Amino acid sequence: MSYFNELYQEVILDHNKRPRNFGELPGADSRANGNNPLCGDRLTVYLKLDGKTVTDVRFKGAGCAISTASASLMTEALKGKTVEEIEHLFARFRAMVTGKTSLAEEPAAKLGKLEVFRGVSDYPVRVKCATLAWHTMLAALRQSDETVSTE
Amino acid sequence: MRAANVASRAHQGSAWFDVERVRADFPILKQQIHGHPLVYLDNAATSQKPQSVIDAISRFYSTDNANIHRGVHLLSQRATDAYEGAREKLQRFINAAEPRETIFVRSATEAVNLVARCYGASHVGPGDEIIISAMEHHSNIVPWQMLCEEKGARLRIIPITDEGELILEEYEKLLGPRTRLVSVVHLSNVLGTINPIKEMIRIAHARQIPVFVDGAQAASHLRVDVQDLDCDFYAFSGHKLYGPSGIGVLYGKARFLEEMPPYQGGGDMISTVTFEKTRYNVLPYKYEAGTPNIAGAVGLGAAIDYFEGLGVENVIRYEADLLSYLMESLASVPDVKLIGTAPHKASVQSFSVAGVHPHDIGTIVDEHGVAIRTGHHCAQPLMDFYHVPATARASLAFYNTFDEIDALVAALHKAIEVFK
């Protein structure tokens, strides 16, 4: 069936059932809360940073399969990346899930495992589920940037 | 219950309620969604419209359209007659004592805001209290919260049981010398609970406290008689009552509507205007500033005609059979938990499925043509009470069938399979 093949891929179902990097991160340098007021989804993203590089990231919270799997796969994708790399990655991820394919299909736009969310573009109301963790993570990142810049 | 439900299934297409004939009146129901027949179970969000309502709006714009209450020309007279005729239909529908107690507004939400603003202006001050319940829609929470913030008043909440019933002993305890108004929902949009509002009104009136009733869900599923209830205000919207969106009704007892200040200033709500002083118009026009939703009122009048033509008692009886079949069918699905199991209920059933988020349920059942609502249903405090972020909700109308409930359950099984 179409929803099974395109939206609820095996990888997504697996990460929903067994989310990776789930739970609080002791000694986190930054954290942010995110929620989708319309869905009732709530999550917290924790970051550890070494200068401009994310060294560890975890999340906790409750949401639908798409938002949980997206948070889980995001945490796997971010470790070791710089703030700039993460911002570029999110721009391409968002282009993919919103169906703005010109940017998402550029040769440089390697999204790796995050490609499993391509099916979200057929479900416009679910885009916010796929991007909630990312927006929350960016808020944590920027909050940390501000702290760094004021010190 | 099971025997009763088996019997009720035989009612489908019976002499007293021919659901297939009724369905033929609703053009939208004939379509396919993702290759499946549409099963529309989101009636608590908005109802579908019979052809007679669609035609009434089209006919109004094709033959009678003009502004009302002004102009001596024939079209203006016809438009005024159509608009005021709709008001009289609504007055009879809720059994208001007089047409002037029936105010046209945009929505049930606007009706709450109107009363919060206008009643609040003259009756609520610092230290006063407004009482609402734990099962209110945001539209019956936020306007009162805004009023309380502005006036330094306090919002107090009637608690509920796990089944979803108001705890009346606690309600009585909340009523005190500073209580200025009680505002409570008639039929809960999340739990389906029918609240004992007649009794609650009697209790409040014994202490000279007026009561506002949110009838947004009730007007299309129960018989509403405002004089029998003796409520001071009653609000509902057109779009949940098989009429168009953008039109709603505020009923208010004339003595309150007379003494309250106007809601908005503008044309039609005045009798004379000078730069020194404006005299306000009489009821109901005092609360209807500006050109109203004339075609919306006409459409709502047609919806009332249609609804009453079916026989409101027939609708109530058929929907009660449907609801008990829905509840029984959902309860038979493994991992499904019903939310809202009060003994006195109508038309709405919320539920959760262990291990599957409501949004995922909503997306997958939609693939099977089944439209349900998932989310917090504009009742976040109620979600917090049940410790769930959201629920799935199936809500019925008289054009739904027993087969459609079977289709929902079959689709739910598919959803559960995906997440096993």
Side-chain angles (χ1 to χ4, degrees):
Chain A
M1 295 215 180
S2 60
Y3 64 81
F4 188 80
N5 292 334
E6 289 164 23
L7 185 61
Y8 293 110
Q9 300 205 20
E10 282 300 339
V11 175
I12 291 177
L13 295 174
D14 175 54
H15 277 259
N16 174 51
K17 215 173 214 175
R18 298 185 301 116
R20 320 298 198 267
N21 302 307
F22 188 81
E24 287 181 28
L25 179 58
D29 296 305
S30 179
R31 66 147 95 181
N33 297 314
N35 71 85
N36 267 340
L38 285 172
C39 324
D41 291 358
R42 291 170 195 179
L43 60 82
T44 308
V45 174
Y46 306 86
L47 294 173
K48 262 189 191 170
L49 293 143
D50 181 6
K52 289 273 185 187
T53 303
V54 171
T55 56
D56 202 0
V57 48
R58 291 176 73 79
F59 80 103
K60 70 168 190 181
C64 65
I66 303 301
S67 76
T68 303
S70 178
S72 174
L73 281 152
M74 178 191 79
T75 59
E76 289 192 328
L78 296 189
K79 278 183 210 176
K81 287 200 167 59
T82 64
V83 173
E84 201 177 25
E85 286 168 336
I86 288 168
E87 282 175 348
H88 282 298
L89 187 64
F90 176 59
R92 295 197 298 270
F93 180 78
R94 187 166 56 182
M96 177 183 72
V97 296
T98 54
K100 295 191 175 67
T101 47
S102 57
L103 181 58
E105 280 173 0
E106 276 174 22
K110 288 283 177 230
L111 282 160
K113 275 169 106 175
L114 300 174
E115 289 275 348
V116 296
F117 291 101
R118 191 173 290 278
V120 171
S121 63
D122 289 332
Y123 298 83
V125 296
R126 304 304 295 273
V127 168
K128 63 187 188 304
C129 310
T131 54
L132 173 63
W134 288 84
H135 286 298
T136 310
M137 176 274 297
L138 289 172
L141 212 53
R142 281 163 192 160
Q143 179 187 48
S144 146
D145 271 344
E146 282 173 18
T147 311
V148 169
S149 66
T150 51
E151 278 176 356
Chain B
M1 280 310 280
R2 187 167 288 275
N5 282 317
V6 172
S8 71
R9 294 204 68 185
H11 286 155
Q12 197 161 351
S14 71
W16 63 272
F17 196 79
D18 186 347
V19 69
E20 288 309 323
R21 218 173 123 186
V22 166
R23 289 177 67 79
D25 295 332
F26 290 78
I28 204 168
L29 299 178
K30 297 181 177 85
Q31 69 185 294
Q32 302 266 312
I33 299 289
H34 302 304
H36 299 271
L38 167 64
V39 174
Y40 187 76
L41 296 174
D42 194 17
N43 294 287
T46 195
S47 63
Q48 299 302 346
K49 323 304 173 196
Q51 189 65 50
S52 61
V53 167
I54 300 166
D55 288 347
I57 295 166
S58 170
R59 195 166 48 242
F60 174 79
Y61 280 126
S62 305
T63 63
D64 297 338
N65 181 54
N67 213 329
I68 55 169
H69 302 148
R70 63 201 78 177
V72 293
H73 58 79
L74 182 61
L75 281 188
S76 177
Q77 188 59 52
R78 289 215 298 254
T80 303
D81 289 349
Y83 181 76
E84 293 303 329
R87 190 192 310 277
E88 284 170 23
K89 281 178 193 173
L90 281 147
Q91 175 221 341
R92 284 194 300 273
F93 178 64
I94 58 172
N95 193 31
E98 312 170 68
R100 68 189 184 119
E101 294 181 317
T102 308
I103 313 291
F104 281 122
V105 288
R106 253 185 329 126
S107 57
T109 297
E110 184 170 52
V112 185
N113 279 278
L114 188 159
V115 175
R117 173 91 60 81
C118 303
Y119 174 85
S122 47
H123 291 82
V124 179
D128 286 342
E129 296 179 351
I130 305 284
I131 295 178
I132 62 171
S133 88
M135 66 171 82
E136 299 307 320
H137 188 281
H138 293 165
S139 63
N140 199 28
I141 300 173
V142 181
W144 304 115
Q145 223 162 27
M146 289 163 69
L147 172 67
C148 287
E149 268 172 33
E150 182 192 324
K151 298 281 188 173
R154 189 150 78 115
L155 197 59
R156 309 205 62 188
I157 315 296
I158 310 163
I160 60 171
T161 65
D162 287 345
E163 289 71 35
E165 283 191 290
L166 295 178
I167 303 172
L168 287 188
E169 305 81 73
E170 297 298 322
Y171 164 61
E172 286 213 57
K173 282 185 215 157
L174 286 174
L175 296 169
R178 303 309 299 264
T179 310
R180 292 292 170 263
L181 186 93
V182 174
S183 186
V184 69
V185 68
H186 195 172
L187 167 55
S188 161
N189 73 310
V190 177
L191 303 170
T193 310
I194 302 170
N195 287 320
I197 55 166
K198 189 174 174 180
E199 170 73 358
M200 294 174 75
I201 291 163
R202 193 189 56 74
I203 293 167
H205 283 182
R207 296 162 170 83
Q208 280 76 51
I209 298 164
V211 179
F212 181 105
V213 180
D214 169 6
Q217 297 295 334
S220 46
H221 301 287
L222 306 175
R223 174 62 83 180
V224 175
D225 181 331
V226 293
Q227 291 189 78
D228 178 57
L229 293 171
D230 199 25
C231 54
D232 302 283
F233 300 99
Y234 197 98
F236 57 99
S237 61
H239 71 96
K240 289 184 166 79
L241 188 50
Y242 317 104
S245 49
I247 188 84
V249 171
L250 169 67
Y251 160 80
K253 280 183 182 163
R255 69 180 181 90
F256 284 108
L257 295 176
E258 294 272 17
E259 69 171 23
M260 282 159 34
Y263 180 49
Q264 294 178 323
D268 234 22
M269 57 75 72
I270 50 85
S271 62
T272 59
V273 177
T274 66
F275 286 115
E276 289 70 42
K277 176 76 184 163
T278 292
R279 287 171 56 87
Y280 303 127
N281 206 339
V282 295
L283 295 177
Y285 316 111
K286 172 181 162 187
Y287 293 100
E288 294 181 2
T291 298
N293 184 352
I294 307 167
V298 170
L300 180 53
I304 298 293
D305 287 341
Y306 180 84
F307 189 48
E308 294 200 308
L310 295 176
V312 176
E313 311 312 324
N314 287 342
V315 166
I316 291 171
R317 190 172 148 203
Y318 178 72
E319 288 184 356
D321 284 350
L322 269 183
L323 179 64
S324 52
Y325 185 64
L326 172 66
M327 291 179 72
E328 190 182 295
S329 302
L330 287 173
S332 74
V333 180
D335 300 329
V336 164
K337 183 178 166 230
L338 300 185
I339 296 169
T341 51
H344 203 35
K345 280 191 57 160
S347 75
V348 171
Q349 187 61 54
S350 284
F351 59 95
S352 61
V353 182
V356 192
H357 191 278
H359 270 186
D360 299 314
I361 295 170
T363 294
I364 293 175
V365 302
D366 179 62
E367 289 284 338
H368 294 83
V370 181
I372 59 168
R373 174 76 190 272
T374 62
H376 56 55
H377 318 292
C378 298
Q380 285 176 354
L382 193 55
M383 298 295 110
D384 293 341
F385 175 79
Y386 285 104
H387 303 294
V388 289
T391 74
R393 177 188 71 186
S395 54
L396 303 165
F398 53 72
Y399 42 67
N400 289 128
T401 67
F402 293 87
D403 288 346
E404 289 185 312
I405 291 169
D406 292 342
L408 165 67
V409 169
L412 272 180
H413 279 290
K414 299 273 185 199
I416 291 166
E417 211 172 279
V418 169
F419 287 92
K420 217 160 210 167

